[in-house]
Structures are given as C-alpha cells and as structure tokens.
Amino acid sequence: MGQYLYKEIKDYLTELITANKNIPNYRLPSENQLAIKFSTTRITAKRALEELQEEGYIYRVHGKGSFISPEATNRSELKGKDFVCVLLPNIESLFIATLVDGIRQTLRAAGFHLIILSESVDELNSNNLIKRIVNLGIKGIIVFPNSQARYNKDLLLLALNKFPVVFIDRTLHDFDVSSVTSDHNGMGKKATNLLFSRGCRHVGFISMPAEYSSSIAKRIAGYEKAHTENGFRILPEQMLFVTKQDKDQVAHIAEFFRKNPELDGLLSYGGSVGYNVYRAILKEGISVPKQLKVIFFDDEYAQYDDLLPFSPTCVSQHSTEIGQKAAELILGYITNHSVTIDKILIDCDIIERESTLGRSTQLI
C-alpha cells in the first residue's frame, strides 16, 4: 500500500505544480504535512518529493522546504492525471491495431489520453523501463506481455503495490494480475472440432513454440483436448513449431507436409508463419480444400483474397472488445482507487471460407 500512497502523493503534488507553476517560489507542503494528509509516513512523502526533485519539477532548500522549479513551467503539462500507457511488443498486426483502437476509444470517452510504447526486446530488457514509464505520471498501464522480456520483476512489484496493471491477449506465469484475453483454449478446441466435423481425421498443427506465450500453449491444449474428446490419437510428428529466426520456414513447412502425407486438416499460426504456409502449400502442389482443409488463427488474409490461392477460414478474435474491456478495468481501478484481480475471457468466432468449405463465407 505504501507504493500506491506514494503515487497518490506524487500525483497530488503534480497537480499543485501544474496549478501554481507561474507563481514564483511557490512552496509545496512539507513531508510532515503530506504524511498527515495521506495518513502515511514521512518516508513515503519524502520519496514522492525526492522523485519530483530528480525529475526537475521542484527544488529543495534545507530547513526551508520544497519549491516549484522555474523549469517546471514547460515540463509539467504532461504530468496530468489523465494518461494511461499501453506497452506493446509491436504494432504490425491488424489484431494489435484494432485492439489499441478499442483501448483508445474507451479512454477518450472517459477524458483520458493514451501513450503507446512499442519497444524491441532489447529495450524491454533495459534497466528501469517500467519505472521510467510510471515516472511519466501515468495512472495505469496496459501490457501486451512479451515472454522474452525481463521486465517481469518490475511489473510484479507494481501489481503487488496495487498500481493499476492489466494484461491483454495473454498472461505471464506466476502473475496474479488482471487480464483480458481471448479464450485461447476454447479457440484451439473449437477450430479442431470444426475440421473433424468437415471429415478430417488427421489434423496437423503449425505454430510458434508454446513457450513464446501463454496464448499459444492454451491453443495447443485446446487442440489436444479436441483430439481426446473425439477419440483421436495426438501424434507429436503432426505438430510443427517454427520461429521468426528460422530463415528456411517455407522449406521446413514443405518438409513437414511431405513427412505427413496423411494430413487432411491443418491449424496454423497467422502472420508471416501463415503466409509461409500458403507458400509451402503452393510449392508442394497441395489442393485446398480437396486434399487439405486449413484454418488460420486470426483473420489477417481476407483482404488479399485476389492474390492468394484460396480464401482462408480463420479464427477471429474480438480484438476491439478486448481493448475496450482492458480500458474499462483500468478506468475502474483509477476512479475507485482500488485494484482487484479480474480475469475476463472473450469468446471467438470462426469465419468459414473456401479453405474448409469450398464455397461462400459462413460465420460460426
């Protein structure tokens, strides 16, 4: 609770700085006054004052108090109460673009602004990234977790101290933090069952490795559960895991098809992996959907129907709704000055097209 009180004190002081920045030598409340006002210790109040001093917003005179720095005139405008940060691994996919749009719309309706940070893994692993983000004066942080980043400790510390944090799309192991995600387990099961219902008996799976994210691990669990419930064996050789670092993805996927000629159904990761699945199918001369029925995770290829050899059946996530729900949770925590642990699962749809039907679009 001390961490959260320190943030409240710092926000209070920031508002005083913004309101009085043009008054020469304006003196801020003392450590004792702040401790009494917020029912906390002088140490907590002192920390808030020291951070504002380090950031150049105030200066302190021993025995006299803390004063607004002349430099604060041009610096305190962004230190308001109405900013939320979203931390992303990238902004390349349609899924992330629509997810962010959902966050932005909900925050804007409540009078809040959005700060978007998309950083490389190296930057995510840099020291004090999370602390630097919080020191911008934001009220909450929405995180699209990156399993390769080492910011976990700082995020966990924020969560333990009741700073508003919400994960989107996926979670991190051992983190009891609020999250809004698609039902990835149900997604994998639902897609596999559709292929079974279309007559497939040997369904393959191509994806990034499970350790890359909790969402992938849950999709695999759903794929396996569908096999078990339908009385089919789970064959490891019918699952292929590729990475973005693999420069010969098309060759490896083509080899996978050659080693498993019995495959009549396929679930595939989207993005560049899915594009390489298209290329491997063309390379091997596989007829879709006659020989192989295919479902992609995420609806990313429909706009390229005229350029692709077949229109794709896809699992469609409700990305805008995920963003909206995450923003609603953050706003609730900020407004109520109370953080709870909420886990929200959003169902998905399957948009069925030529790659499983061989005819017109149908929503399941």
Side-chain angles (χ1 to χ4, degrees):
M1 181 60 77
Q3 171 81 7
Y4 193 58
L5 278 174
Y6 134 76
K7 277 292 300 167
E8 281 194 61
I9 295 171
K10 190 175 178 182
D11 290 341
Y12 168 72
L13 291 171
T14 297
E15 291 176 1
L16 286 180
I17 292 169
T18 301
N20 300 283
K21 62 187 178 184
N22 294 318
I23 301 176
N25 302 315
Y26 181 88
R27 188 165 79 173
L28 296 166
S30 67
E31 293 171 10
N32 280 336
Q33 289 171 325
L34 292 168
I36 292 170
K37 178 178 177 63
F38 288 89
S39 300
T40 187
T41 64
R42 283 186 58 192
I43 294 174
T44 301
K46 182 179 180 181
R47 179 181 176 187
L49 288 165
E50 285 180 341
E51 283 207 1
L52 287 170
Q53 182 180 21
E54 290 173 5
E55 294 163 11
Y57 293 96
I58 68 173
Y59 66 94
R60 309 186 74 190
V61 180
H62 183 68
K64 294 187 177 181
S66 302
F67 303 85
I68 297 177
S69 170
E71 289 78 17
T73 300
N74 297 320
R75 296 186 64 195
S76 60
E77 295 301 332
L78 289 178
K79 302 285 285 186
K81 64 181 181 180
D82 54 355
F83 283 84
V84 170
C85 176
V86 58
L87 181 59
L88 301 167
N90 64 72
I91 51 175
E92 298 169 1
S93 70
L94 178 63
F95 172 78
I96 289 182
T98 53
L99 186 150
V100 170
D101 193 50
I103 295 172
R104 182 186 289 109
Q105 290 175 16
T106 305
L107 292 178
R108 183 182 296 161
F112 280 70
H113 300 290
L114 179 63
I115 297 174
I116 300 173
L117 287 178
S118 177
E119 303 288 358
S120 66
V121 172
D122 287 342
E123 180 61 24
L124 291 175
N125 287 336
S126 66
N127 292 330
N128 299 320
L129 173 65
I130 301 300
K131 182 178 179 180
R132 284 187 280 128
I133 292 173
V134 173
N135 283 345
L136 291 172
I138 63 169
K139 285 294 188 177
I141 182 169
I142 298 173
V143 184
F144 194 115
N146 188 317
S147 60
Q148 296 174 285
R150 295 191 297 271
Y151 51 46
N152 300 13
K153 181 179 178 182
D154 291 334
L155 279 175
L156 183 58
L157 184 61
L158 278 184
L160 288 173
N161 285 291
K162 301 301 182 182
F163 184 84
V165 178
V166 174
F167 285 170
I168 46 175
D169 184 65
R170 57 190 67 168
T171 57
L172 291 174
H173 297 300
D174 302 323
F175 266 73
D176 195 18
V177 175
S178 293
S179 61
V180 183
T181 70
S182 294
D183 181 4
H184 292 287
N185 191 301
M187 182 188 302
K189 179 180 174 181
K190 191 174 186 178
T192 307
N193 279 333
L194 175 61
L195 290 171
F196 288 149
S197 73
R198 294 289 176 263
C200 299
R201 293 299 177 262
H202 303 280
V203 177
F205 191 99
I206 298 177
S207 175
M208 306 286 273
E211 57 267 23
Y212 269 48
S213 74
S214 62
S215 58
I216 296 174
K218 289 175 181 177
R219 291 175 188 179
I220 294 170
Y223 164 84
E224 293 176 341
K225 187 171 184 180
H227 276 74
T228 301
E229 290 180 352
N230 285 278
F232 293 111
R233 292 175 58 198
I234 300 166
L235 302 175
E237 61 268 25
Q238 293 182 347
M239 302 176 73
L240 175 67
F241 299 104
V242 297
T243 68
K244 291 181 179 179
Q245 291 72 37
D246 183 355
K247 298 186 183 300
D248 297 314
Q249 254 188 40
V250 176
H252 291 155
I253 295 170
E255 182 183 12
F256 171 73
F257 287 140
R258 289 193 299 273
K259 287 183 175 179
N260 295 277
E262 75 284 357
L263 289 182
D264 51 12
L266 178 70
L267 291 184
S268 174
Y269 200 83
S272 60
V273 175
Y275 173 67
N276 286 331
V277 168
Y278 268 111
R279 293 174 64 192
I281 285 173
L282 282 175
K283 181 179 179 180
E284 295 302 304
I286 299 171
S287 174
V288 175
K290 185 177 180 181
Q291 292 175 269
L292 182 70
K293 293 178 171 58
V294 181
I295 297 178
F296 291 105
F297 290 110
D298 292 332
D299 189 15
E300 300 176 309
Y301 308 113
Q303 58 186 316
Y304 305 114
D305 268 1
D306 293 342
L307 303 174
L308 296 172
F310 55 84
S311 60
T313 292
C314 294
V315 178
S316 179
Q317 300 185 69
H318 296 179
S319 52
T320 301
E321 183 182 358
I322 292 172
Q324 291 170 339
K325 293 293 185 184
E328 288 170 5
L329 285 182
I330 282 287
L331 290 171
Y333 301 154
I334 294 170
T335 302
N336 298 324
H337 296 283
S338 176
V339 176
T340 55
I341 305 300
D342 300 282
K343 307 286 187 180
I344 298 177
L345 283 181
I346 307 293
D347 199 7
C348 64
D349 296 319
I350 296 182
I351 301 175
E352 195 166 10
R353 301 189 181 96
E354 183 184 5
S355 65
T356 54
L357 274 177
R359 49 193 173 85
S360 59
T361 300
Q362 174 182 341
L363 186 66
I364 295 177

